[in-house]
Amino acid sequence: MNWINNVVRPRIRSFLNKKEAPENLWVKCPESGEMVFYRDLEANQFVIPNSGHHMRMPPHVRLGAMFDGGEFEEITLPEVSQDPLRFRDERRYADRLKEARTKTERNDCVLAALGSLDGIETVITVQDFAFMGGSLGMAAGEAIITAMMTAVERRTPFVLFVSSGGARMQEGILSLMQLPRTTVAVQALRRAGLPYIVVLTHPTTGGVTASYGMLGDVHLAEPGALIGFAGPRVIEQTIREKLPDGFQRAEYLLEHGMVDMVVPRGELRDTLIRVLGLLLNRAPAADVVPLPNEFAIPDSRGPRSPRP
């Protein structure tokens, strides 16, 4: 009897109560195949240490890495009509929305926040590719416009981290209407004389590239990010030619003048602080490394007056 109580029953309990290992305990690098412990990857801002491959970064983690002390205040975003077209393909659009919301614990793909960046009050907005590919629909369009207008009202710079597959097809023309609407909001930033910085992350394609994604004052990109309108496979099939190596990648676009800088994720915060310092005619903190000389381009028109 003691053998049953002391040996058999504890083993049965340990078997029944055995905890399963988390699915994301180890992460495989898409480039090198290297297996990386998830906590090490998280500590390195979701960049594979050896290969330097930039994995997708959760939006709240990205915001925490940008703002001073990781502190920020989320901007309340407006609610919009759900599934106005009652769209259905293989599944109902309403079911896809429900699944994406359960997966990400967010109403849509855009997260906007207000906080300080090296003491500069700044609005930063992030598109989450995990939510239906970061696609632009009515909710995302309203969120981006609300964030931009918040920046106008508070007279702050606006920084946008873009990651999107383009317009959300399930919302049809209502999705496409967000392209001109967000463009009008960008013009409001311009009229107010406020800096608008776009950080292009992997991937940025479709209608987002054709609108607010390419209308910034300065365009930064993460290494290896795919940036374009149509994908390379579609282009190859259309023109029936082989595309150059690295076509539509951030480094290729930098060489051809489509982006201003390719910045590793670990250097993004300092780079944003330096760029904002230049645009606002403000000296950054002493611990921020200055921009390399190749970016200090003299203006042939002489000194310019600071923005209002």
Side-chain angles (χ1 to χ4, degrees):
M1 193 69 176
N2 290 336
W3 178 77
I4 294 177
N5 292 332
N6 297 334
V7 179
V8 177
R9 287 181 178 176
R11 288 191 177 181
I12 292 175
R13 289 194 192 99
S14 65
F15 177 77
L16 294 176
N17 298 330
K18 185 178 180 180
K19 294 182 179 180
E20 296 183 0
E23 294 182 1
N24 61 350
L25 187 61
W26 293 89
V27 179
K28 185 177 181 180
C29 174
E31 288 186 359
S32 64
E34 175 189 3
M35 298 299 294
V36 181
F37 190 48
Y38 182 82
R39 289 186 179 177
D40 294 338
L41 182 66
E42 189 176 25
N44 201 39
Q45 296 191 39
F46 293 88
V47 178
I48 304 294
N50 292 329
S51 68
H53 179 79
H54 286 52
M55 306 289 286
R56 294 194 182 108
M57 192 174 187
H60 63 281
V61 177
R62 190 183 286 278
L63 289 174
M66 292 296 108
F67 286 118
D68 297 346
E71 298 179 356
F72 56 88
E73 177 186 352
E74 285 195 35
I75 297 173
T76 302
L77 304 176
E79 295 185 2
V80 300
S81 175
Q82 304 297 319
D83 193 12
L85 303 181
R86 297 187 179 181
F87 188 90
R88 183 188 184 103
D89 44 25
E90 295 178 354
R91 297 171 56 196
R92 293 193 309 161
Y93 176 43
D95 294 337
R96 293 184 185 273
L97 278 177
K98 184 177 180 180
E99 179 183 348
R101 287 168 178 168
T102 301
K103 176 183 175 182
T104 62
E105 298 181 352
R106 298 208 167 272
N107 287 331
D108 213 271
C109 67
V110 173
L111 176 62
L114 177 69
S116 293
L117 187 59
D118 193 43
I120 305 172
E121 189 178 54
T122 308
V123 174
I124 300 181
T125 301
V126 181
Q127 281 186 269
D128 185 9
F129 194 82
F131 193 105
M132 297 190 69
S135 52
L136 178 65
M138 293 173 60
E142 286 291 344
I144 292 170
I145 292 169
T146 299
M148 288 182 175
M149 298 314 296
T150 300
V152 172
E153 292 170 5
R154 299 184 68 99
R155 304 289 301 173
T156 69
F158 184 77
V159 179
L160 177 61
F161 286 84
V162 185
S163 179
S164 175
R168 189 171 297 174
M169 69 172 190
Q170 291 89 346
E171 295 186 15
I173 190 64
L174 300 175
S175 172
L176 295 178
M177 282 300 298
Q178 307 312 310
L179 276 64
R181 295 183 73 243
T182 52
T183 301
V184 171
V186 172
Q187 293 302 318
L189 287 170
R190 294 245 174 98
R191 287 194 299 270
L194 299 171
Y196 171 36
I197 301 176
V198 178
V199 182
L200 303 162
T201 68
H202 179 75
T204 301
T205 60
V208 171
T209 310
S211 57
Y212 61 86
M214 283 294 181
L215 293 177
D217 299 313
V218 178
H219 293 92
L220 311 180
E222 290 188 336
L226 177 69
I227 305 165
F229 184 73
R233 183 177 59 182
V234 174
I235 296 174
E236 283 187 337
Q237 292 174 349
T238 302
I239 66 176
R240 298 180 182 179
E241 292 183 12
K242 182 68 177 176
L243 297 173
D245 292 338
F247 183 75
Q248 289 187 323
R249 295 292 173 173
E251 295 76 8
Y252 183 92
L253 297 184
L254 176 64
E255 294 177 2
H256 292 77
M258 287 288 290
V259 300
D260 299 301
M261 297 173 66
V262 175
V263 185
R265 190 172 290 164
E267 301 174 13
L268 264 175
R269 173 179 154 84
D270 280 355
T271 302
L272 287 172
I273 290 171
R274 295 194 301 265
V275 171
L276 286 177
L278 290 172
L279 295 177
L280 297 171
N281 195 22
R282 175 186 182 275
D287 58 345
V288 176
V289 180
L291 283 170
N293 289 333
E294 58 264 30
F295 296 107
I297 303 174
D299 193 336
S300 59
R301 295 171 295 177
R304 301 174 66 183
S305 58
R307 291 190 176 198

